[in-house]
Amino acid sequence: MCGIVGYVGKREAKDILLNGLKRLEYRGYDSAGIALVNGRLDIEKGQGKVDALKAKIAGRVMQGNVGIGHTRWATHGAPNDINSHPHVSQSGKIALVHNGIIENYNYLKRELQNKGREFNTETDTEVIAQLIEEIYQNGKGEISFKKAVQLSLKQIEGSYGIAVVNTEEQNQLIVARKGSPLLIGIGDGEMFVASDASPIVEYTKKVVYLNDGEMAIISENGYQVSTIDDVELTKEVHELALNIEEIQKGGYPHFMLKEIFEQPNAIEDCLRGRLDTEKQRVQLGGLVDEMDRILQAKRFIITACGTSWHAGLVGEYLLEHLTKVPVEVEYASEFRYREQLINEDDVVIAISQSGETADTLAALRLAKEKGALTLGVCNVVGSTIARETDAGVYNHAGPEIGVASTKAFTTQVAVLAMMSILIGQKKKSIDSVYAGKLIEGLASVPDKIQQILEQSEEIHEIAQLFTYAPNFLYLGRSYNFPVALEGALKLKEISYIHAEGYPAAEMKHGPIALIDEMMPVVVIAHTEHTNEKMISNIEEVKARKGRIISVTGRSNKDVIKLSEFCCAIPDIDDCLSSILTVIPLQLLSYYIAINRGCDVDQPRNLAKSVTVE
């Protein structure tokens, strides 16, 4: 959940590190810091965002051609100056940045304290720096710095991505990975390290991805990758399919608003080359090699977290309706903490925007151990989930920088819809006419989203009326029950308003007690076969003076008439409606948060890529 950046080369490292941290800030923004090596360690760090760090550095000279940087999402220790990374060893010669959690740090800390080591922070990370130095110094010249790092990592339990520098080996840095992503960027006479590609894309497109249990020594002349057990490896060099323009705001005030408005193009990119409207078929090249096994599946299990879990719930409706195969949707964080009855004829679908979500990775690995076929649905090319699953499909949504996910959700649902149609066609569980209707419907989604976005000012006006509501209730049925959950999550994430999503019929089993004239109730009523039931739910809310904000199809005159406020959207088949109905809820959350003065791109206590359990 933290961001790491490193540089070795001929340029001054300071600005490269600071610019890189600014691009990584969405991964964590409690505090930030950098360490440069120039015969000694020169460190500046502190609580706050990267701009606060830049202000601290302004006016002072920091030089060095080797350096590491970090932006933090706090796990151990309060977000303050002392607990900020980089952390240093007792001698002040070794500095280290870390993303992850060291689970046995208390034990290691006590052991090191018994040997005379003094600790200055509350963090688990400081233990790594001290442990490396303890082994290095005790080796009395017989243990190399690389070996000291390896021996230290063998004692550590938990997850880590680390970058470490040593004034005695000042022309290089060492990186290692277990559970937290790291990549190496290959430049011309210079090398880069980062948690993801965003800090280095303006300097190089050539990268090497480290896998769990791997480490590398990096100098301006190149890199050497090995396992923690010191087995040398030859790694494939990948070409980044990312442009610098994609990770800039492009004239929008916030990344979140930009990404909401990018959704017509994101869906188009997601469908391109996969949806054939003339032949009325779906082609997903990433599934071809495993299609026979997919068609023999007795059960699909979808595992994910957060917004991706909501997309998975939509996927459950889609897959069961179109393939007639049972589907279970599991929180990845709970998946491995109960007895899992997984069989070889199960297909486990792991969904993650980043492809690095720690709980989802753990669930995926358990499924592989049990012999299930694993499929990935993720957005980041080259991510760990993309590499470790047996097959999969990329979203192709483009980079998503805003912490609150928007276009990842809609493209995930589009991918799940295509998978469901494809499998349904091959199993002949849907007829060709209905399949053709769904394919045409999917093809129309970008234009229909654009029509909804053109109503943004009307949604802004509704948001102004409810900016200071203390609570919200979201209701939906069938394909739009997950949208109710997603709408409530968006509002909670960025406006800090308490909100709950429910299946509409469950309102009578408790939540109806909350409804009065102060309670806005957002009703997603775009599912034809449940429309009469939704109308009854609206009447029940109105009878208790609740404020109805509805999202429904333009032809649904009954719901429009009953609603105090309404966002009428283009009609579409029930199966695909969640891709459209979520758009007004994204905009409503955004405008309410802006009205309340909240930081929508970097909401408090959150981070974009959850790489700790």
Side-chain angles (χ1 to χ4, degrees):
M1 306 212 11
C2 306
I4 290 173
V5 63
Y7 176 76
V8 183
K10 294 182 171 61
R11 300 192 232 187
E12 288 294 331
K14 180 184 74 172
D15 288 340
I16 292 172
L17 297 178
L18 290 172
N19 290 338
L21 290 180
K22 189 66 180 172
R23 295 218 175 104
L24 284 172
E25 201 168 30
Y26 69 95
R27 300 179 71 92
Y29 32 86
D30 293 335
S31 57
I34 62 172
L36 304 182
V37 185
N38 189 10
R40 64 183 181 87
L41 285 177
D42 194 355
I43 296 175
E44 190 64 79
K45 62 180 184 173
Q47 182 179 357
K49 297 185 179 181
V50 175
D51 285 342
L53 177 65
K54 288 182 176 181
K56 290 182 78 170
I57 291 173
R60 61 164 292 198
V61 176
M62 288 188 76
Q63 293 182 318
N65 307 116
V66 177
I68 53 177
H70 187 271
T71 180
R72 181 176 185 237
W73 186 87
T75 57
H76 295 68
N80 57 31
D81 291 355
I82 292 173
N83 291 328
S84 305
H85 297 221
H87 291 293
V88 296
S89 62
Q90 191 161 307
S91 71
K93 293 182 178 181
I94 294 171
L96 178 141
V97 293
H98 166 227
N99 175 18
I101 291 178
I102 307 307
E103 295 173 356
N104 62 336
Y105 87 100
N106 270 323
Y107 168 78
L108 294 172
K109 186 174 184 176
R110 287 194 299 270
E111 290 289 303
L112 290 165
Q113 285 172 327
N114 291 338
K115 294 176 181 179
R117 293 262 157 197
E118 296 179 1
F119 287 77
N120 299 308
T121 79
E122 304 168 283
T123 68
D124 55 341
T125 300
E126 188 183 5
V127 168
I128 312 175
Q130 297 278 33
L131 181 59
I132 291 170
E133 182 170 86
E134 179 72 17
I135 294 171
Y136 186 55
Q137 288 182 343
N138 288 342
K140 301 183 188 304
E142 295 181 6
I143 293 179
S144 68
F145 185 51
K146 175 187 177 184
K147 192 66 177 177
V149 173
Q150 290 173 325
L151 292 173
S152 299
L153 295 178
K154 288 181 180 181
Q155 295 186 45
I156 286 171
E157 297 173 8
S159 63
Y160 56 79
I162 63 166
V164 56
V165 291
N166 181 357
T167 58
E168 295 182 9
E169 303 279 354
Q170 64 176 7
N171 294 318
Q172 66 180 31
L173 62 87
I174 292 178
V175 297
R177 173 202 166 141
K178 180 187 174 186
S180 297
L182 276 179
L183 58 82
I184 301 166
I186 305 167
D188 184 8
E190 57 186 359
M191 301 292 293
F192 306 84
V193 174
S195 297
D196 65 37
S198 60
I200 68 173
V201 67
E202 66 180 288
Y203 306 110
T204 181
K205 291 291 187 76
K206 295 180 179 179
V207 298
V208 167
Y209 297 100
L210 291 185
N211 293 322
D212 281 356
E214 294 179 355
M215 64 180 298
I217 297 179
I218 299 169
S219 68
E220 66 180 66
N221 298 319
Y223 63 97
Q224 180 185 345
V225 180
S226 67
T227 66
I228 304 300
D229 295 320
D230 213 21
V231 176
E232 289 196 15
L233 302 171
T234 301
K235 300 286 290 184
E236 181 182 356
V237 177
H238 297 262
E239 189 83 11
L240 289 175
L242 176 66
N243 296 313
I244 190 71
E245 294 78 16
E246 293 180 276
I247 54 174
Q248 296 174 334
K249 290 180 182 174
Y252 286 89
H254 300 95
F255 280 110
M256 183 180 179
L257 189 63
K258 177 194 178 200
E259 287 154 10
I260 290 172
F261 275 81
E262 282 179 337
Q263 286 175 107
N265 289 335
I267 296 287
E268 229 168 61
D269 290 341
C270 178
L271 302 179
R272 184 174 291 115
R274 297 166 167 177
L275 208 62
D276 189 332
T277 53
E278 287 186 13
K279 296 180 180 178
Q280 296 199 330
R281 67 181 184 185
V282 174
Q283 304 171 94
L284 297 174
L287 302 183
V288 169
D289 291 344
E290 300 292 346
M291 186 51 70
D292 288 345
R293 196 170 169 192
I294 292 170
L295 296 177
Q296 297 302 313
K298 296 291 190 294
R299 177 177 60 162
F300 292 104
I301 301 171
I302 299 173
T303 185
C305 302
T307 287
S308 296
W309 185 76
H310 297 157
L313 290 175
V314 179
E316 178 181 23
Y317 287 103
L318 286 163
L319 281 164
E320 288 192 339
H321 177 51
L322 299 178
T323 72
K324 313 306 180 192
V325 177
V327 181
E328 296 177 15
V329 183
E330 298 262 9
Y331 278 115
S333 56
E334 293 294 321
F335 187 81
R336 64 195 179 110
Y337 293 111
R338 62 181 179 81
E339 186 174 359
Q340 280 295 340
L341 305 177
I342 299 173
N343 302 305
E344 292 184 2
D345 53 9
D346 289 329
V347 173
V348 175
I349 303 172
I351 308 177
S352 166
Q353 188 281 139
S354 66
E356 304 290 351
T357 309
D359 287 316
T360 309
L361 266 169
L364 160 66
R365 288 164 179 165
L366 175 61
K368 286 176 75 74
E369 286 174 18
K370 299 282 189 178
L373 177 70
T374 58
L375 307 180
V377 176
C378 55
N379 192 39
V380 179
V381 175
S383 60
T384 305
I385 287 177
R387 298 199 305 274
E388 292 195 12
T389 44
D390 298 306
V393 184
Y394 283 118
N395 300 21
H396 293 314
E400 190 176 66
I401 307 299
V403 167
S405 185
T406 52
K407 63 180 181 176
F409 175 81
T410 50
T411 53
Q412 285 166 350
V413 173
V415 166
L416 291 166
M418 287 190 287
M419 288 173 63
S420 302
I421 295 167
L422 173 62
I423 297 166
Q425 283 183 309
K426 288 187 175 293
K427 289 175 68 72
K428 302 190 186 306
S429 52
I430 51 173
D431 63 57
S432 58
V433 174
Y434 186 45
K437 178 186 176 184
L438 293 179
I439 289 168
E440 293 287 347
L442 261 180
S444 73
V445 163
D447 178 64
K448 289 180 176 178
I449 292 178
Q450 188 60 49
Q451 293 178 47
I452 298 169
L453 293 173
E454 289 168 4
Q455 302 177 57
S456 62
E457 278 308 308
E458 297 168 32
I459 297 168
H460 193 178
E461 290 173 9
I462 296 171
Q464 289 177 323
L465 297 172
F466 294 101
T467 293
Y468 296 103
N471 301 284
F472 265 75
L473 186 63
Y474 289 72
L475 302 175
R477 287 176 182 261
S478 186
Y479 290 95
N480 286 300
F481 158 53
V483 175
L485 295 176
E486 177 62 11
L489 177 63
K490 283 293 146 297
L491 192 67
K492 281 183 279 196
E493 284 180 312
I494 63 172
S495 75
Y496 319 139
I497 293 173
H498 174 255
E500 296 293 340
Y502 278 92
E506 290 298 304
M507 178 182 65
K508 292 189 286 293
H509 297 275
I512 198 167
L514 301 172
I515 295 174
D516 58 20
E517 66 275 8
M518 300 299 292
M519 175 68 83
V521 180
V522 180
V523 178
I524 305 103
H526 199 297
T527 313
E528 189 175 337
H529 68 284
T530 63
N531 197 53
E532 289 185 8
K533 300 293 185 185
M534 286 301 299
I535 289 171
S536 296
N537 296 138
I538 293 170
E539 294 280 19
E540 290 160 358
V541 173
K542 286 175 68 69
R544 289 154 183 85
K545 300 182 180 179
R547 311 287 300 276
I548 295 291
I549 305 167
S550 68
V551 177
T552 191
R554 290 171 181 164
S555 63
N556 198 340
K557 304 301 182 186
D558 292 334
V559 168
I560 293 170
K561 184 178 178 180
L562 285 169
S563 305
E564 184 177 357
F565 306 96
C566 180
C567 180
I569 65 174
D571 292 309
I572 198 165
D573 189 90
D574 288 354
C575 279
L576 308 175
S577 60
S578 57
I579 307 178
L580 301 186
T581 55
V582 76
I583 306 296
L585 307 189
Q586 294 171 350
L587 287 166
L588 182 69
S589 299
Y590 172 82
Y591 288 126
I592 287 175
I594 291 299
N595 292 344
R596 291 168 66 91
C598 300
D599 187 340
V600 296
D601 282 340
Q602 296 172 352
R604 68 188 183 201
N605 302 335
L606 298 178
K608 183 67 178 174
S609 183
V610 184
T611 57
V612 295
E613 296 179 33

